């Protein structure tokens, strides 16, 4: 009696929430559209970068926050997606959006391979493996000439259609493409995380043994998480390639993987809700910091160092004060 | 309760994003009507992106200081047609992606009129295609590279290089080696990208025609990894090399010399011009490069009778306080000197278009310290085209000989011969200021 | 022939330096179940201290021990003021290693920016105290020089001392007990928190040594943005994982393995494959032994 009541409540809640969620996303989409028409091209470019980070951080939240597998090497997965997109465009001459799809598929495949190797690894071993991957993978581009070497290969996301007018800069075009992709991906990811897959991953993360006993195929769920996370990261990589117009090893240094992990923690790695926070922080903080430094101190060295310092400090503060992320912190206060 | 909270958070995130973006207010810029980006009635803003920190920055990070010093000198003497010149410097760590990012910043955020003196072959190739400089009409002038590919006017309509192409340099080295070290085993270290590949073309059968006993390609930025330079030296020693050409960036040259000393490998060194002056980076290496051969297109930094050297040294002392006057300072100032002349020739109301047109029309006539002519024209993006050969003296400076008399060679990027140059450098304008 | 010998010597030298870094990481892991990325930053800071002392006193033999002490002090400081509160707050200590790792990343960032601010463009000079010209054996100079011997000697000395400390002394027993079963150790009267700080201090000293030796073996100068140090951290961590992050002997084995194989690949295959080679070595070892070469299976804690 109680069980079916609860079930009904859950179903009802989901049904209602889905509609609300859709409205929420539509509102965000509207906000983005309005923004894109009011900001200058530089801010549009930054907006595009934020969208890229949103997707990338979401992939880490899925893998680490939900499935409990640590990855310090998501930069490498972004690289796979970016190179796939660029190569698809150059050698197969396919339209841009198909290149994006290709990026997702190929990176998912890569993720599946990586996941099956990694499924048996725990904690520090997995961290070390992903770290080595982050350092090692981009450098392959120097070995094979079709990968473009150090200066990389170009990925052209195209120019806006002429019908949009002269004032529609290419940066705004990037902003539109990346934001649209990000919204779609987030919608899909949120669906996934609220489904039984999400619950399955959470269960495995909380207690592997209990999950196995409850009938969950632990290894499979882990590999699945890696696969999906990689696919999302591949999309982020392709979007990154679109905004920079270029795919080269130098675009995927270790620092990128660290930045993404940082962004994930700033967002609250356990839930998707705060994903924007981390992405905005990664882009906005260097901006704000250099502005502050310009106004306060004439020292150039301070100006260039302040952004890193603030991001690192913020990271540490977040880990100390809101280890489950700012959203959870607010929520728990709200509940209290 | 929970479901509305969730929605609230999603919307809140969007609002936060919008607020954050709009709060990052850009510093107020002069609202006076501008005729061109980066140009006001009182100022011209230029930009540069190059490695300032990190393992590839050795030597090159001294360039902006010298350029700024020259601009300060010009500004103190009335500027260019009444406008003061400023230079925005960005560090790209020799990474193409960062160079692209920096160039986007310079154009869209700092809103510079033109990029000058950007450094790095791979970097600038990436920038040209990714930032669409040509399509957007943005000049990238006097690029610090010798990559011959930039001479393609169709592909790079708004870019120009300043250094002689690497094909030219390789051809000249080839001739020098065959004349000076006939019959000896020659070996080559080069960077594994377009920079090095250009040199390979210059050394091949159709051009310089130099054969190598051992060739080693090093991936860019790997020179700082412990053990890597040692592995190169091991290979060279195993090959019995007697003449060693190092065609790499300054930090690679530095690490090569250091590793060679450790392994007691002492061939006849020939150091490519872009990376030769390692004595200015690490004075401890000076004893090891005495007698090593290198080449330059500028007069020797210690030439006592060259008017440009004397004038630039004075400017350096006054405006580049704390920086030693070495080959990096000289080349930086010379580039700035040429840039100022170009800006002046662009007219009383310079625009990006007029700047590019001025270089096409009169770039070849700009006086500057180089001992070979500038080859800018309607059809050519290439700057200088020749070198003199010299050796490093006891103080680590490159000199042609004891009397500072220069025998300058010139050639093309094709299969033409290497000839003595008959260029006679015009006199320096008074006080080193453009006419 | 000489090429192979030289390659091996280069590899062993580089590998032993990675081992030192790996030891530093393993020590921290064993005492607090945290992967300490800030170890790279601490090694950097200690190397700068070493360079400063070298400049003042002119003697490497004074500079090195003082740098080690500095490393120990920095490390202990971080453990006391930073890590203890962190671990208290993050509660679950089982699978949740992500947050502490990221926190140490943040710490690494802060250390680097502080060093950048203090030192800016200046570099710290750490020229090798002994000649690094190779010995000449039957007419050929080999890659073994007094300096290389010194590096190997120092690493060996440290390894032996650490083994002795851990296996033979009460301190070592306490260290092992505190990391294996902290609650029981507390009941047995061991001051677990203090012992942990000691563990971190030793780790800091090892890291400082690694940093200084890396510099003297490499370019002879240390700068805040040094690529060498990032590599030291990454390869040190990879070496620790290869060896099995629970074991000091494993750390040494992992470091040597990594160093030698990378040197061979560098010599006979090519420079650009070095980084991907590190990954392949790691994944191969872990596929065969998911807990590293010497790793023991099964969690040490629930």
């Amino acid at each position: 009696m109680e069980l079916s009541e609860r079930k009904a409540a859950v179903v009802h809640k989901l049904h209602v929430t889905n509609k609300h969620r859709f409205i929420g996303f539509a509102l965000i989409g509207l906000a983005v559209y309005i923004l894109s028409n009011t900001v200058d091209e530089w801010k549009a470019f930054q907006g595009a970068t934020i969208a890229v980070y949103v997707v990338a951080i979401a992939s880490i939240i899925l893998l680490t926050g939900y499935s409990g597998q640590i990855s310090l090497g998501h930069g490498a997965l972004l690289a796979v997606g970016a190179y796939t997109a660029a190569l698809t465009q150059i050698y197969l001459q396919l339209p841009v959006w198909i290149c994006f799809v290709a990026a997702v598929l190929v990176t998912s495949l890569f993720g599946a391979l990586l996941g099956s190797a990694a499924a048996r690894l725990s904690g520090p071993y997995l961290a070390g493996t992903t770290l080595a991957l982050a350092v090692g993978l981009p450098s392959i581009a120097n070995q094979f000439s079709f990968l473009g070497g150090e200066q990389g290969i170009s990925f052209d996301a195209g120019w806006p259609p002429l019908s949009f007018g002269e004032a529609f800069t290419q940066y705004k075009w990037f902003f539109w493409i990346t934001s649209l992709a990000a919204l779609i991906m987030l919608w899909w990811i949120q669906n996934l995380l609220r489904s039984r897959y999400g619950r399955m991953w959470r269960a495995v993360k909380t207690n592997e043994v209990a999950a196995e006993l409850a009938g969950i195929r632990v290894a499979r769920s882990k590999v699945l998480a890696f696969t999906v996370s990689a696919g999302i990261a591949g999309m982020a990589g392709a979007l990154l390639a679109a905004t920079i117009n270029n795919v080269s090893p130098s675009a995927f240094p270790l620092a990128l993987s660290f930045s993404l992990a940082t962004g994930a923690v700033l967002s609250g790695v356990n839930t998707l809700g705060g994903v924007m926070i981390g992405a905005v922080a990664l882009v906005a903080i260097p901006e704000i910091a250099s502005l502050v430094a310009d106004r306060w101190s004439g020292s150039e060295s301070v100006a260039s160092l302040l952004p890193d310092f603030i991001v690192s400090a913020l990271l540490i503060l977040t880990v100390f004060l809101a280890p489950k992320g700012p959203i959870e912190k607010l929520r728990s206060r709200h509940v209290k | 309760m929970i479901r509305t909270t969730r929605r609230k958070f999603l919307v809140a995130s969007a609002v936060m994003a919008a607020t954050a973006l709009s709060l990052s207010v850009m510093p107020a810029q002069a609202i006076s009507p501008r005729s061109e980006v980066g140009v006001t009635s009182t100022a011209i803003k230029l930009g540069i992106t190059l490695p300032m920190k990190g393992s590839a920055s050795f030597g090159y990070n001294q360039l902006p200081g010298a350029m700024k010093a020259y601009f300060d000198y010009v500004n103190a003497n009335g500027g260019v047609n009444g406008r003061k010149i400023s230079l925005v410097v960005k560090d790209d760590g020799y990474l193409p992606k960062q160079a692209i990012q920096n160039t986007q910043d310079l154009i869209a955020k700092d809103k510079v009129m033109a990029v000058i003196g950007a450094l790095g072959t791979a970097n600038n190739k990436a920038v040209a295609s990714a930032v669409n400089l040509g399509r957007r009409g943005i000049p990238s002038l006097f690029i610090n590279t010798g990559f011959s590919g930039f001479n393609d006017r169709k592909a790079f309509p708004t870019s120009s290089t300043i250094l002689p192409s690497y094909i030219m340099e390789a051809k000249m080295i080839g001739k020098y080696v065959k004349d000076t070290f006939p019959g000896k085993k020659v070996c080559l270290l080069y960077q594994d990208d377009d920079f090095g590949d250009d040199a390979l073309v210059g050394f091949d059968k159709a051009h310089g025609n130099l054969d190598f006993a051992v060739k080693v390609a090093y991936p860019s930025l790997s020179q700082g990894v412990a053990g890597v330079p040692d592995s190169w030296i091991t290979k060279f020693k195993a090959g019995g090399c007697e003449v060693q050409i190092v065609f790499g960036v300054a930090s690679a040259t530095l690490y090569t010399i250091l590793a060679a000393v450790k392994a007691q490998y002492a061939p006849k060194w020939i150091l490519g011009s872009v990376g030769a002056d390692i004595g200015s980076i690490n004075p401890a290496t000076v004893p090891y490069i005495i007698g090593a051969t290198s080449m330059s297109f500028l007069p020797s930094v210690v030439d006592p009778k060259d008017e440009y050297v004397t004038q630039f040294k004075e400017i350096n002392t006054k405006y580049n306080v704390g920086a030693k006057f070495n080959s990096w300072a000289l080349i930086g100032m010379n580039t700035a000197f040429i840039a100022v002349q170009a800006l002046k020739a662009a007219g009383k109301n310079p625009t990006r278009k007029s700047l590019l047109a001025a270089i096409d029309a009169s770039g070849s006539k700009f006086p500057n310290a180089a001992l070979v002519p500038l080859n800018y024209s309607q059809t050519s993006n290439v700057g200088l085209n020749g070198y003199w050969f010299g050796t490093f003296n006891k103080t680590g400076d490159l000199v042609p000989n004891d009397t500072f008399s220069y025998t300058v060679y010139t050639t093309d990027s094709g299969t033409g011969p290497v000839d003595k140059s008959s260029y006679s450098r015009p006199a320096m304008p008074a006080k080193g200021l453009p006419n | 022939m000489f090429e192979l010998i030289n390659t091996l010597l280069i590899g062993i030298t580089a590998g032993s330096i990675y081992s030192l870094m790996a030891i530093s990481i393993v020590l921290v892991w064993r005492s607090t179940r945290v992967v300490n990325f800030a170890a790279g930053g601490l090694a950097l800071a200690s190397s700068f201290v070493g360079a400063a002392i070298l400049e003042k006193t002119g003697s490497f033999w004074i500079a090195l021990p003082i740098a080690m002490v500095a490393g120990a002090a920095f490390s202990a400081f971080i453990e006391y003021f930073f890590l203890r509160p962190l671990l208290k707050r993050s509660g679950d200590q089982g699978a949740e290693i992500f947050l502490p790792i990221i926190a140490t990343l943040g710490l690494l960032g802060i250390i680097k920016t502080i060093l950048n601010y203090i030192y800016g463009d200046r570099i710290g000079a750490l020229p090798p105290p002994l000649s690094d010209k190779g010995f000449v054996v039957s007419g050929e100079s080999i890659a073994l020089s007094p300096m290389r011997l010194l590096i190997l000697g120092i690493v060996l000395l440290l390894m032996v001392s650490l083994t002795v400390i851990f296996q033979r002394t009460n301190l070592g027993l306490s260290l092992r007990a505190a990391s294996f079963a902290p609650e029981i150790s507390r009941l047995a009267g061991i001051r677990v928190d203090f012992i942990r700080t000691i563990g971190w201090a030793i780790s800091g000293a090892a890291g400082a040594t690694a940093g200084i030796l890396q510099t003297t073996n490499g370019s002879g100068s240390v700068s805040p943005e040094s690529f060498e140090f990032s590599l030291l951290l990454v390869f040190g961590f990879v070496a620790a994982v290869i060896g099995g992050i629970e074991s000091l002997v494993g750390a040494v084995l992992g470091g040597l393995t990594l160093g030698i194989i990378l040197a061979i690949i560098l010599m006979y295959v090519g420079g650009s494959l070095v980084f991907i080679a590190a990954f392949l070595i790691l994944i191969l070892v872990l596929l065969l032994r998911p807990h590293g070469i010497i790793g023991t299976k099964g969690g040490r804690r629930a």
Side-chain angles (χ1 to χ4, degrees), chain B residues 178-223:
Chain B
K178 282 192 281 200
D179 290 345
T180 325
F181 304 113
K184 293 232 185 288
K185 273 203 178 137
V186 188
C187 297
L188 174 70
L189 177 73
Y190 64 103
Q191 191 160 292
D192 192 10
D193 64 7
D194 279 328
F195 161 35
D197 288 344
D198 220 27
L200 286 180
V201 169
F203 283 125
D204 71 14
K205 284 259 173 317
H207 298 85
N209 194 14
L210 193 60
D211 284 323
F212 298 109
V214 180
K215 274 197 294 202
V216 172
Y218 73 90
S220 174
L221 293 178
S222 68
Q223 57 265 36

Side-chain angles (χ1 to χ4, degrees), chain C residues 70-297:
Chain C
F74 290 148
S75 203
F77 179 83
I78 289 184
E79 195 276 337
Y80 190 80
F81 285 104
F82 183 75
L83 199 80
R84 278 198 210 177
L86 180 68
L87 288 180
K88 283 205 190 96
R89 280 179 164 272
S90 44
D92 34 70
Q93 286 154 336
E96 193 64 64
I97 65 164
F98 183 60
L99 283 177
I101 290 184
I102 301 301
T104 57
L105 267 183
L107 202 54
L108 178 64
I110 292 201
I111 295 178
K112 265 186 148 171
T113 49
I114 293 181
L115 282 175
N116 252 313
Y117 183 64
I118 299 179
Y119 280 93
D121 288 325
R122 292 185 287 142
I123 56 177
L126 279 172
L130 298 181
S131 155
D132 54 4
K133 288 201 172 56
F135 295 125
V136 180
V137 170
S138 43
E140 277 288 327
S141 166
I142 58 170
L144 191 65
S145 58
M147 188 61 212
R148 279 235 161 87
L149 276 176
L150 179 67
I151 293 178
L152 292 171
I154 292 181
V155 176
L156 200 60
L157 188 63
L158 270 169
M159 269 167 48
V160 168
S161 328
L162 283 173
T163 314
V164 164
I165 292 179
F166 270 85
Q167 301 292 97
R168 301 282 166 133
T169 65
N170 275 338
L171 174 66
L173 190 58
S174 310
L175 277 161
R176 281 155 56 208
S179 75
F180 187 75
E183 291 313 318
I184 301 179
S185 309
R186 271 204 192 94
L187 291 173
I190 296 177
R191 293 160 59 198
V192 169
D193 290 331
F194 180 62
I195 292 292
R196 280 196 181 143
T197 312
I198 301 242
W200 272 67
I202 302 180
S203 154
T209 317
I212 292 200
L213 291 181
Q214 165 90 314
T215 312
T216 53
N217 190 36
S219 62
S221 63
V222 52
S223 77
E225 284 300 324
S226 176
F227 187 55
E228 294 175 303
F229 273 86
S230 310
L231 274 188
L232 179 63
L233 179 61
V234 171
F235 282 162
F237 183 40
V238 171
V241 174
I242 289 180
I245 203 168
E246 309 281 354
S247 143
L248 285 173
V249 175
V252 175
L253 273 179
L256 287 173
T257 312
L258 193 62
I260 294 177
I261 298 187
L262 287 183
I264 294 180
I265 291 187
L266 197 58
M267 180 65 57
Y268 295 110
V269 181
S272 49
L273 287 179
V274 165
F275 300 113
I276 194 71
F279 170 72
L280 289 172
I281 298 172
L282 180 60
I283 199 106
L284 261 157
V285 169
L286 290 180
L287 276 175
L288 297 171
R289 297 183 64 88
H291 290 265
I293 298 180
I294 304 216
T296 51
K297 201 173 171 347

Side-chain angles (χ1 to χ4, degrees), chain A residues 59-307:
Chain A
S59 74
I60 295 186
I61 290 179
L62 190 154
L63 186 65
T64 306
Y66 277 75
S67 173
Q69 300 183 78
I70 182 172
S71 165
L72 294 175
H74 258 62
L77 296 174
L78 265 81
V80 173
Y83 271 101
T84 307
L87 289 171
T88 315
Q89 192 186 57
I90 294 180
Y91 289 105
L92 298 180
Q93 313 270 329
L94 294 172
V96 170
W97 67 269
I98 296 192
C99 300
F100 285 164
V101 171
V104 173
L105 291 174
V106 170
T107 319
S108 306
L109 195 61
F110 187 78
L113 280 171
L114 187 61
S116 19
R120 289 196 293 163
L121 304 176
S122 56
Y125 301 100
L126 187 54
T129 308
T130 51
L131 187 70
L133 186 66
V135 174
L137 196 60
S139 63
I140 293 187
N142 281 321
Q143 194 62 19
F144 303 105
S145 62
F146 75 92
L147 291 176
E150 196 61 38
Q151 69 261 10
I153 47 183
S154 61
F155 180 63
D156 193 359
W159 292 74
L162 286 169
S163 53
F164 282 6
E166 272 259 347
F168 201 102
T169 64
Q170 198 187 30
Y171 293 135
K172 196 164 154 186
W173 181 237
F174 291 161
F175 189 30
W176 275 30
I177 296 180
T178 52
S179 306
L180 185 63
L183 279 172
I184 295 176
M185 297 263 18
L186 274 186
W187 171 256
W188 182 73
I189 295 173
Q190 208 184 32
N191 274 347
L192 194 62
L193 292 178
R194 293 159 63 90
S195 75
R196 67 183 176 93
Y197 290 107
R199 289 196 289 279
M200 174 176 75
W201 288 324
R202 278 258 204 246
V204 168
K205 177 187 178 193
T206 315
N207 192 328
E208 268 192 41
V209 177
E212 189 87 52
L213 287 173
I216 298 178
R217 306 271 289 275
V218 167
R220 262 222 206 147
S221 92
K222 280 183 162 182
V223 175
L224 184 65
F226 243 105
T227 312
V228 175
S229 174
I232 302 170
M235 176 57 125
L239 291 174
L240 183 66
T243 56
I244 318 178
N245 272 0
N246 173 280
V247 184
S248 66
S250 59
F252 307 101
L254 193 55
L256 178 66
S257 297
F258 284 175
S259 295
L260 294 177
T262 303
V265 171
L266 291 177
S267 311
V269 73
N270 288 322
T271 56
L272 193 59
V275 70
M276 287 265 345
I277 300 178
V280 170
L282 285 178
V283 173
I285 288 182
E287 274 296 306
I288 300 179
S290 50
L291 278 169
V292 166
D294 279 338
R295 293 255 171 90
W296 274 6
S297 106
S299 159
E300 260 188 54
S301 63
V302 172
S304 59
L305 293 176
L306 203 55

